[in-house]
Amino acid sequence: MAGGRAVEPPEHARGRADALVGRLLDGRYRIGPRIARGGMASVYEATDIRLDRTVAVKVMHPGLGDDDEFAQRFVREARAAARLNHPHVVGVYDQGDDDGVVFLAMEHIPGHTLRDVIRKESPMTPARALSLIEPVVSALAAAHRAGLIHRDVKPENVLIGDEAHGGRIKVADFGLAKAVSADTQHTATGGVLIGTVSYLAPELVVDGRSDARADVYAAGVVLYELLTGNKPHEGESPIQVAYRHVHEDVAAPSEAAPDIPAYVDALVARATARDRSQRPADAGVLLHQIHRVAQALRDGVVDDPELTADLAPSRTAPEADELRDVSDDTAPEPFDPIAMANYREHTTAFEQLPAPRPPIAAAAPTAASPAPTPAPAPARKPSTPVPVITTARRRSVRGPLVFLLVVLLLAGLGGGAWWFGYARYTTTPGVLGVTEQAATSELDSAGLAADIGTPRYSETVEAGLVLGSDPEPGERVLKDGTVTLVVSLGPERYDVPTLAGMTEDQAQDAITEAKLANGESVEKFSDKVAAGSVMRSDPAAGTTVKPDTPVDLVVSKGRRPIEIADWTGEDAEKATNALEKRKLVVEVTGEEFSDTVAEGDVISQEPTAGPLFKGDTVQLVVSKGPELVEVPQMRAKGVEAATQELEALGFEVAVENSENYIGLGFVFSTSPGAGDMVAKGSTITLYLI
């Protein structure tokens, strides 16, 4: 499995053949069965015939691979991904183009995906969820430091090796999404929407632009899913889900699982804030926050208001668009073109209607009481003209007075606006890159007060110098106001802790607490360190390194077992040399006569088989050969007497007549002769005279 998607059934089970199966790509990769398929590529198990190893080959779908411009982008991003050397990133070995087939050769990870774990275990405890998300965020942090954004973080792209591979968690598909999305639209109706919609950050939905904080958002959604077993936003269509990402906050996990501490809710809220300025700047910052929360969980902390307040995103006023959405709950979702068109047409017509007139104070006549018919006016008589007396009209002062008042009001408003909007402000001086004391003096000279904020690490600004200010240099600040200074702690570095003698679990916990990353663990035999204990680390203890630097462990397998052979019946000197060469101690516990084992050979060995360990003792009993007895003088003795004496000494007796036999029946000579040393059981021949 590689590429982070569900394993497919074999080709014959689907009833169709795959033209790539059996093909040799680039003269090197023999394509085997397809093991996964996604929206942009298929993944095959393959054999690297040059290095004789199993790899995963990701092949772009023809619709993408045929585009030369896309292929070039894909190659560039593949090279960037290949530069990521991290224990939790799927390694990229090779890339190529074989007659239009654009492919990647990657590390093959047999096992399952994080999606399978979610199906089986979720909802899970916060400690378990953080242990699964921590390697993912660690991999993203390494990518962000290298300037690479994943853009498609989801459980399907998190691979978990089987037991044979140590269950290691690795993130796949770095660089692929960026290659595809370079010139495509992130809309519901046109182009390609890169990234699974359930994990898309709001800014990707709105304008298609993203940075490291989009990966942070996706990781926060995955953490929510681990904690609750559900995705935070559901809908009948991908468009509805995308709409909710833009307009709805991710709910607190404790609403679904009440036992979750408030500071875990705050961690999820910070990572999934819709306003990306409220999120951690990149995965490295999120990883640090995860370490803090994990430590609180390990310490059994039920509630930590200070940690919760530190992690929770600050409340900001909603944007104008959001206010309009809230005030008009009849508006359809903006991603439905037809509904939006109907809505706009309806609202436009409504806005064109004349405004309703104010009600008339007098009551209108009712139907029951018809209006009275006016009486005809009486006829007037012709009137005689009467002279009109006129007087001089007095000039009204109301107009100039009102004008003066308006002018004064406008002047007051303008003056107030000038004062409140400009005059009472000054410009924040530039105090970056100087010492705290110098910055404070500069602010004091400008009539401003200095407040020291939380210091931060910096790779570019030396420790003790001002890293930033709030407001920033050049921004407006109230006269006699306060400027918060952020002082640099210098590069963030941590010492590798002393891990020798710890168990592997203890060492990994110590590495995590030191804000470093767990690397590979290699087992080696040791005659001095107990099995299961750490022998040493790489980098070595006391080495000062960057945060999230992988620390590899060498773990003792205990004493090296030594298998031995049974040397019984073999030359004792040869056996001693062979055993001592294997760092064993040989002890000859005795020498014995043996009628069956030759002199100098091993009669017995203890123990006869292993395993033994360096310095253990092997005991040998060495043969002296058969026991020898001197043949006595038998001449002139009778046959019976000589026979009895020799048999008593352990000999066999044979009787023969000598060449000079004359019938006396006495022993004339023996063979072997008298005085010879002969092994017991040997035959002594008596020659009679």
Side-chain angles (χ1 to χ4, degrees), residues 431-448:
V431 291
L432 304 185
V434 301
T435 64
E436 177 185 334
Q437 182 178 2
T440 303
S441 299
E442 179 73 16
L443 292 174
D444 185 63
S445 300
L448 300 171

Side-chain angles (χ1 to χ4, degrees), residues 322-330:
E322 294 178 346
L323 290 176
R324 283 196 296 272
D325 291 338
V326 172
S327 63
D328 187 2
D329 57 5
T330 63

Side-chain angles (χ1 to χ4, degrees), residues 346-617:
H346 171 73
T347 52
T348 303
F350 182 83
E351 291 169 356
Q352 292 172 352
L353 292 176
R357 296 180 180 179
I360 303 174
T366 63
S369 54
T373 304
R380 289 187 175 183
K381 294 180 181 181
S383 58
T384 305
V386 178
V388 178
I389 301 174
T390 62
T391 58
R393 186 176 181 181
R394 297 180 60 186
R395 187 177 183 88
S396 174
V397 298
R398 179 178 296 180
L401 182 60
V402 171
F403 176 75
L404 178 61
L405 291 176
V406 170
V407 170
L408 292 176
L409 178 61
L410 292 177
L413 291 175
W418 174 78
W419 170 254
F420 287 101
Y422 181 79
R424 64 180 184 144
Y425 288 92
T426 185
T427 302
T428 305
V431 291
L432 304 185
V434 301
T435 64
E436 177 185 334
Q437 182 178 2
T440 303
S441 299
E442 179 73 16
L443 292 174
D444 185 63
S445 300
L448 300 171
D451 183 26
I452 307 304
T454 304
R456 294 203 311 262
Y457 292 103
S458 172
E459 294 291 327
T460 57
V461 180
E462 295 181 9
L465 302 183
V466 175
L467 173 64
S469 66
D470 184 18
E472 295 181 355
E475 291 186 351
R476 292 194 301 165
V477 61
L478 287 173
K479 293 178 179 178
D480 299 325
T482 300
V483 176
T484 301
L485 301 177
V486 179
V487 180
S488 172
L489 294 173
E492 185 176 9
R493 297 292 184 270
Y494 299 99
D495 291 340
V496 177
T498 300
L499 306 173
M502 296 183 180
T503 65
E504 184 176 4
D505 288 342
Q506 291 172 339
Q508 289 178 343
D509 289 342
I511 291 171
T512 301
E513 291 175 5
K515 299 180 176 59
L516 304 176
N518 290 307
E520 302 285 346
S521 291
V522 179
E523 292 186 325
K524 290 189 177 181
F525 292 109
S526 173
D527 295 324
K528 299 179 180 179
V529 181
S533 297
V534 174
M535 299 167 58
R536 61 183 178 275
S537 64
D538 182 22
T543 305
T544 302
V545 295
K546 292 183 178 181
D548 301 319
T549 297
V551 178
D552 298 332
L553 299 176
V554 179
V555 182
S556 173
K557 295 170 65 176
R559 302 171 67 189
R560 182 187 297 274
I562 302 174
E563 299 293 339
I564 62 172
D566 185 0
W567 290 91
T568 302
E570 302 291 336
D571 182 74
E573 184 176 356
K574 183 179 179 181
T576 299
N577 292 336
L579 294 171
E580 288 180 344
K581 198 171 186 179
R582 308 202 72 179
K583 308 301 182 183
L584 298 172
V585 177
V586 179
E587 179 182 344
V588 178
T589 58
E591 295 181 343
E592 298 178 1
F593 291 107
S594 174
D595 295 334
T596 57
V597 180
E599 181 180 1
D601 290 350
V602 178
I603 296 177
S604 64
Q605 172 183 318
E606 182 62 35
T608 57
L612 300 179
F613 300 96
K614 181 180 178 181
D616 285 356
T617 300

Side-chain angles (χ1 to χ4, degrees), residues 17 58 125 160 213 249 308 316 333 378 390 502 506 519 582 588 599 606 676:
K58 181 186 290 288
T125 65
I160 304 176
R213 289 170 289 189
D249 291 330
T308 302
T316 57
E333 295 179 358
T390 62
M502 296 183 180
Q506 291 172 339
R582 308 202 72 179
V588 178
E599 181 180 1
E606 182 62 35
D676 290 344

Side-chain angles (χ1 to χ4, degrees), residues 602-689:
V602 178
I603 296 177
S604 64
Q605 172 183 318
E606 182 62 35
T608 57
L612 300 179
F613 300 96
K614 181 180 178 181
D616 285 356
T617 300
V618 178
Q619 296 178 333
L620 302 179
V621 176
V622 181
S623 173
K624 295 166 62 177
E627 185 178 358
L628 301 180
V629 179
E630 184 179 357
V631 178
Q633 180 60 258
M634 295 286 108
R635 176 174 285 190
K637 291 185 179 182
V639 174
E640 293 183 3
T643 299
Q644 290 177 358
E645 184 176 351
L646 292 172
E647 288 178 348
L649 293 173
F651 296 121
E652 299 289 336
V653 178
V655 179
E656 294 183 13
N657 295 327
S658 68
E659 295 179 355
N660 300 320
Y661 179 75
I662 58 176
L664 295 178
F666 292 99
V667 176
F668 177 73
S669 62
T670 61
S671 178
D676 290 344
M677 301 299 293
V678 181
K680 277 186 177 183
S682 299
T683 300
I684 305 298
T685 303
L686 300 177
Y687 292 98
L688 304 182
I689 187 67

